[in-house]
């Protein structure tokens, strides 16, 4: 039997601080962990918790000099040194030390740092929890360990997870990220149920854990939750789950039924306030389909003018704002007080400019309002819409001597409308016959067409007038131009379509134009003539845009129209990703096969990203794909605009009508127009030259330039 020598521990000794010095044998050279300042504060609070390892300094004869070097514990020495410099500790204060003489100094330093086992995070969580249970506040714990209160809250949240999950984490069956995901739901039974279900899953990603723990809940960012208000929801007894470790947009509302009841009640209250205004009807819903006002006439009220006092305050605020801006125009940065004052002035000016709208009593008796919630959770009230069945019946105008709907030439019996000349002479002036009126107006129509074709600006104005009548007025019978734009309605409700950036921009633009157009359709022509060219072009573009229909309808196939939509999108440079469309579960991912989802991820993020989610179930795959596709700009095929082919613009040459018959005429051809005109007396035949260029060279040049462009 081998006899082991008894171990003798190194002696401990209290050594004055001024007898200690750092050793070059310390192996720690890279700064890491708690700072010297924080360690000094901790020593000041709790004193030194562990002794410092030292070695005596020997002279040439090998005798101790009374000084000691520190090969291990340099950070503690520097913290004590800082306390001495701050006059918080005497330089002769005794420091507990372990005196070593055997082995190498580097060995002491390396062993002390390597053999020290780091604290397991779970032990830290439990330690914070024990301190909290003994009466320490979160702020006191944070101050004691030089961390923020939010860090303490996170640790306490982790400590509150089910004990069985703590055990799984301690046995390394679960990662820290997975443990953090379980904190979104405090129900231990539900946590254990989800963990048990995950044992049968291919993947145990944290986002899957959060999704499973929040199933049936409503995101706090949902417009219904924003409309009701989170504080009111909690006050009514609702519960909100929060995630302290990730951005959760306010958490998850657990009682969806309670939320729906609160939404209906609040909408009913808001609708009643609108109904009191005197509208004929008020429709209420959380969301109306896009285009629900299609076919209805919109009544626009007038803004209530400012009182004399309001106008004076408004002008004073604007003058103050302009003066402050001019005074600090050269400043790189505005003082906080000045910036706050400018913000206050802007809010006050906006409040003055947002005038209440006043409607006539007759309009209120005809029209109604829609009350709903917009995408941000604010109340949306759309006032002044008149249903077709509520429109007053317009009386047919007295057309006098001229029939309002003349019959075609072939259908009119001239004998029935003509009378002998002697009878007309005997009976005086009689109304013109329908046939004669039709013939005269036919001449006038062709002459008007010819004249209008030579005046592009008036033609543009006439087309604009016809389109505006159709899109902004109930009765579009005030124009002789038979151009009728159709504002195509959507066959079914597209979720969230009305809240997109492009839909809101269209509605705002349409409303702005409607407010700036005359109330009566008969005043429209004069108003359009007074618009400047830029305004007319902008209104024309809006009217043409409102007639675009690029919807692929399975019941009405229009392949050529869809192909033209692609060309149009490429010409205007439409990018649906920049326009605001993103691939989400509702918009695309949740409505296609798993293969399509993987295809999208593969195109946007590469093969590796697609392989990582390939084994997930459909719901988990949709969630993972949403996160992967954020910010990539990926679009499905129907939303991609194909590139336009690069084709040189052809040169346009105006040719005579006679040249279009059968090839170009030859000088030797006796049947050519020139030869024929010579035989007829030398006069040029019609078509030899452009009549516009002879009668109106300016108009001819303009037409040629327009064609060439």
């Amino acid at each position: 039997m081998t006899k082991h020598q008894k171990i003798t521990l190194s002696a401990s000794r209290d050594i004055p601080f001024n007898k200690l010095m750092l050793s070059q044998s310390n192996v720690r050279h890279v700064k890491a962990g708690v700072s010297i300042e924080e360690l000094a504060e901790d020593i000041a609070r709790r004193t030194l918790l562990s002794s410092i390892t030292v070695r005596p300094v020997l002279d040439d004869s090998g005798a101790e000099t009374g000084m000691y070097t520190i090969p291990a514990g340099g950070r503690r020495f520097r913290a004590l040194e800082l306390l001495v410099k701050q006059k918080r500790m005497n330089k002769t204060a005794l420091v507990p030390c372990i005196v070593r003489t055997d082995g190498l100094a580097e060995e002491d330093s390396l062993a002390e740092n390597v053999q020290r086992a780091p604290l397991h995070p779970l032990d830290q969580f439990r330690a914070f929890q024990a301190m909290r249970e003994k009466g320490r506040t979160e702020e006191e714990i944070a101050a004691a360990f030089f961390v923020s209160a939010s860090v303490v809250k996170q640790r306490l949240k982790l400590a509150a997870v089910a004990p069985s999950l703590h055990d799984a984490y301690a046995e390394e069956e679960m990662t820290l990220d997975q443990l953090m995901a379980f904190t979104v739901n405090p129900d231990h039974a539900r946590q254990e149920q989800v963990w048990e279900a995950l044992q049968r899953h291919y993947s145990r990603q944290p986002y899957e854990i959060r999704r499973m723990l929040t199933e049936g809940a409503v995101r706090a960012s949902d417009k219904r939750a924003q409309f009701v208000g989170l504080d009111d929801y909690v006050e009514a007894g609702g519960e909100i789950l929060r995630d302290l470790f990730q951005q959760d947009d306010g958490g998850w509302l657990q009682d969806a039924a309670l939320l729906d009841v609160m939404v209906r009640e609040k909408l009913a209250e808001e609708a009643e306030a609108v109904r009191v205004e005197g509208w004929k009807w008020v429709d209420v819903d959380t969301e109306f389909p896009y285009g629900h006002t299609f076919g209805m006439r919109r009544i626009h009220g007038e803004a209530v003018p400012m009182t004399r006092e309001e106008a004076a305050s408004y002008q004073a605020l604007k003058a103050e704002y302009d003066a402050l801006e001019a005074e600090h125009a050269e400043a790189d940065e505005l003082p906080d007080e000045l910036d706050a004052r400018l913000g206050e002035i802007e809010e006050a000016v906006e409040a003055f400019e947002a005038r209440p709208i006043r409607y006539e009593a007759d309009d209120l008796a005809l029209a109604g309002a829609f009350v709903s919630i917009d995408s941000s959770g604010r109340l949306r009230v759309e006032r002044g819409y008149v249903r077709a069945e509520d429109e007053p019946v317009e009386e047919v105008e007295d057309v006098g001597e001229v029939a309002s709907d003349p019959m075609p030439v072939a259908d009119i019996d001239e004998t029935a409308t003509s009378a002998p000349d002697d009878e007309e002479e005997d009976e005086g002036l009689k109304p013109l016959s329908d046939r004669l009126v039709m013939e005269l107006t036919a001449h006038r129509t062709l002459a008007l067409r010819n004249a209008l074709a030579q005046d592009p600006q008036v033609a543009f104005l006439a087309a604009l007038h016809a389109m505006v009548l159709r899109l902004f007025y109930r009765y579009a019978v005030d124009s002789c131009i038979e151009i009728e734009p159709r504002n195509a309605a959507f066959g079914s409700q597209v979720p969230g379509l009305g809240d997109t950036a492009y839909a809101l921009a269209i509605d705002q633009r349409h409303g702005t134009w409607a407010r700036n157009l005359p109330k009566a359709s008969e005043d429209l022509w004069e108003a359009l003539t007074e618009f400047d060219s830029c305004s007319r072009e902008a209104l024309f573009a809006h009217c043409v845009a409102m007639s675009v229909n690029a919807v692929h309808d399975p019941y009405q196939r229009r392949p050529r129209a869809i192909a033209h939509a692609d060309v149009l999108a490429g010409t205007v440079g439409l990018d649906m990703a920049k326009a605001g469309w993103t691939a989400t579960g509702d918009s695309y991912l949740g409505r296609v096969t798993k293969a399509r989802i993987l295809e999208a991820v593969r195109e946007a993020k590469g093969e590796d990203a697609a392989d990582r989610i390939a084994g997930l179930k459909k719901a988990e795959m949709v969630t993972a794909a949403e996160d992967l596709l954020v910010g990539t700009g990926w679009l499905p095929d129907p939303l991609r605009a194909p590139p336009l082919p690069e084709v040189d613009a052809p040169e346009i040459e105006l040719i005579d009508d006679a040249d279009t018959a059968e090839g170009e005429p030859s000088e030797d051809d006796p049947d050519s127009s020139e030869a024929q005109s010579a035989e007829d007396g030398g006069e040029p035949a019609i078509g030899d030259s452009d009549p516009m260029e002879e009668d109106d060279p300016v108009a001819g040049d303009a037409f040629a330039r327009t064609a060439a462009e």
Side-chain angles (χ1 to χ4, degrees), residues 13 29 131 138 173 295 332 363 402 434 477 527 575 593 610 643:
R13 188 184 307 172
H29 297 288
M131 295 176 66
E138 295 167 356
E173 297 175 7
D332 295 334
D363 293 336
V402 181
D434 290 340
V477 295
D575 186 333
T593 62

Side-chain angles (χ1 to χ4, degrees), residues 493-606:
Q493 165 67 346
V494 180
L497 183 62
D499 291 324
T500 58
Y502 29 90
L504 294 175
I506 291 172
D507 293 343
Q508 181 181 4
R509 187 185 305 112
H510 194 83
T512 301
W513 279 119
R515 288 189 294 272
N516 285 276
L517 293 173
K519 188 173 182 180
S521 61
E522 55 267 24
D523 299 329
L524 176 61
W525 180 268
E526 182 179 355
L528 293 179
T529 59
E530 295 176 355
F531 281 6
D532 58 65
S533 59
C534 291
S535 298
R536 282 198 292 263
E537 289 174 1
L539 180 56
F540 183 83
H542 174 72
C543 292
V544 173
M546 293 297 289
S547 68
V548 171
N549 181 10
V551 177
H552 179 81
D553 190 341
Y555 303 103
Q556 185 182 4
R557 299 191 178 277
R558 304 177 302 131
R560 293 186 178 181
I562 301 302
H564 177 250
D566 292 339
V567 174
L568 188 60
T571 304
V572 299
L574 176 64
D575 186 333
M576 287 300 298
K578 293 181 179 179
W581 189 93
T582 56
T584 65
D586 292 334
S587 67
Y588 181 79
L589 298 172
R591 305 169 65 182
V592 297
T593 62
K594 294 174 66 174
R596 287 283 187 183
I597 299 175
L598 294 176
E599 178 189 38
V601 173
R602 188 177 298 109
E603 291 179 356
K605 302 292 289 186

Side-chain angles (χ1 to χ4, degrees), residues 122 125-126 129 154-162 166 188:
L122 185 58
F125 308 157
R126 289 169 174 168
Q129 187 179 41
Q154 290 176 344
R155 302 299 185 265
L156 293 175
K157 193 79 170 177
L158 287 166
V161 175
H166 282 168
H188 285 186

